[in-house]
C-alpha cells in the first residue's frame, strides 16, 4: 500500500493558490483513478483507490502547510507504511511555473510542509513530486507570494502541469520512480 499526499492549506481562501498545487494534483489524480477524497481521517481528507493494481491512500492534510507532518505521520502509523512508500506532491518556487521535478529523497529545501514531514517521520527518505510555481518577485514577501493566485496565463500552464503531475504519480506507481524521473524531470521547451 502507498500513501500519496498532496500538500496545501484548507479553506476557500487558499483554493487555487500557489501553495495549494499539491491539493490541485490530488484532485486531478482522484478524478483520473475514480477516487473520492472526502473522508475525514488522520487530520486530512482521505480517499482510497487503485493505480496499476496497487492500493493507494490519497490524502490532503488539513493541518495547514506548516504542520503537514502531523497528518502524514498519523496515516503512516495507522496503515503501517514506511516512509519510502509515502509520495508527497507539493509546490516549489525554485522551479518555473508548470515544471515538474521528481526526487526519491532529499532535504526540505526551505519548504515548511516538507520540514514538518521530515521532522515527524524522522527521515528525508521519501519520494516526492515537486510542481513549479515560479520564483517570487524580489520585492514581494514569500508568504504573500505562495498564498497568492496564479495569473490567467500561469493558470493555463498550471492546469497542464497538474494533469502531468497526476500522470507522473501514476507512472511512479506503475513503473517506478527512475522511469518517471527520466520522463518528467526536464525543462519545459520555450514556445
Amino acid at each position: 500500500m502507498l500513501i500519496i499526499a498532496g500538500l496545501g492549506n484548507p479553506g476557500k481562501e487558499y483554493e487555487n493558490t500557489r501553495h495549494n498545487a499539491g491539493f490541485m494534483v490530488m484532485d486531478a489524480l482522484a478524478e483520473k483513478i475514480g477516487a473520492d477524497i472526502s473522508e475525514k481521517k488522520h487530520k486530512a481528507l482521505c480517499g482510497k483507490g487503485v493505480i496499476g493494481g496497487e492500493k493507494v491512500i490519497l490524502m490532503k492534510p488539513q493541518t495547514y502547510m506548516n504542520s503537514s507532518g502531523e497528518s502524514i505521520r498519523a496515516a503512516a502509523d495507522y496503515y503501517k507504511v514506511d516512509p519510502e512508500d509515502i509520495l508527497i506532491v507539493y509546490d516549489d518556487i525554485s522551479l518555473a511555473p508548470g515544471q515538474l521535478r521528481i526526487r526519491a529523497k532529499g532535504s526540505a529545501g526551505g519548504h515548511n510542509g516538507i520540514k514538518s514531514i521530515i521532522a515527524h517521520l524522522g527521515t528525508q527518505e521519501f519520494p516526492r513530486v515537486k510542481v513549479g510555481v515560479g520564483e517570487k518577485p524580489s520585492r514581494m514577501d514569500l508568504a504573500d507570494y505562495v498564498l497568492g493566485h496564479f495569473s490567467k496565463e500561469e493558470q493555463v500552464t498550471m492546469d497542464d502541469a497538474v494533469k502531468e503531475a497526476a500522470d507522473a504519480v501514476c507512472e511512479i506507481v506503475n513503473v517506478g520512480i527512475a522511469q518517471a524521473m527520466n520522463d518528467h524531470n526536464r525543462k519545459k521547451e520555450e514556445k
Side-chain angles (χ1 to χ4, degrees):
M1 177 179 285
L2 292 172
I3 293 173
I4 303 169
L7 304 188
N9 286 310
K12 281 262 185 252
E13 69 269 34
Y14 299 111
E15 276 180 19
N16 298 315
T17 59
R18 289 178 179 84
H19 229 15
N20 275 29
F23 278 10
M24 292 178 227
V25 173
M26 294 313 293
D27 290 340
L29 181 60
E31 188 176 322
K32 182 178 176 75
I33 68 168
D36 175 30
I37 310 177
S38 61
E39 184 183 1
K40 291 183 174 139
K41 201 172 181 178
H42 315 300
K43 299 182 182 177
L45 293 175
C46 297
K48 291 181 178 165
V50 177
I51 299 174
E54 179 85 37
K55 286 183 184 171
V56 295
I57 302 297
L58 306 181
M59 293 181 67
K60 290 166 51 175
Q62 301 294 292
T63 52
Y64 289 94
M65 182 64 80
N66 296 357
S67 300
S68 297
E70 292 174 30
S71 173
I72 303 299
R73 181 62 196 243
D77 288 349
Y78 182 84
Y79 294 108
K80 297 176 177 44
V81 172
D82 293 327
E84 60 268 18
D85 292 324
I86 302 171
L87 176 60
I88 307 296
V89 184
Y90 62 101
D91 62 289
D92 189 326
I93 61 166
S94 66
L95 298 172
Q99 187 178 341
L100 301 185
R101 180 77 72 240
I102 299 168
R103 292 282 184 252
K105 60 186 178 184
S107 71
H111 194 287
N112 290 332
I114 298 299
K115 282 181 191 170
S116 173
I117 293 168
I118 290 170
H120 281 84
L121 293 180
T123 183
Q124 46 188 19
E125 306 270 328
F126 53 86
R128 68 258 341 242
V129 176
K130 305 178 197 184
V131 181
V133 296
E135 202 174 334
K136 80 168 184 70
S138 59
R139 297 189 200 290
M140 193 170 194
D141 178 67
L142 180 59
D144 290 341
Y145 180 71
V146 296
L147 297 177
H149 291 84
F150 297 102
S151 68
K152 281 190 169 54
E153 189 178 276
E154 286 174 326
Q155 190 62 58
V156 171
T157 301
M158 290 308 297
D159 289 345
D160 290 341
V162 163
K163 287 185 190 110
E164 183 185 351
D167 291 344
V169 168
C170 290
E171 188 174 345
I172 290 167
V173 175
N174 287 324
V175 296
I177 198 162
Q179 183 62 50
M181 288 167 71
N182 283 340
D183 292 343
H184 299 281
N185 285 0
R186 60 189 184 282
K187 295 250 187 251
K188 297 286 180 222
E189 302 336 308
E190 294 298 322
K191 291 180 180 156

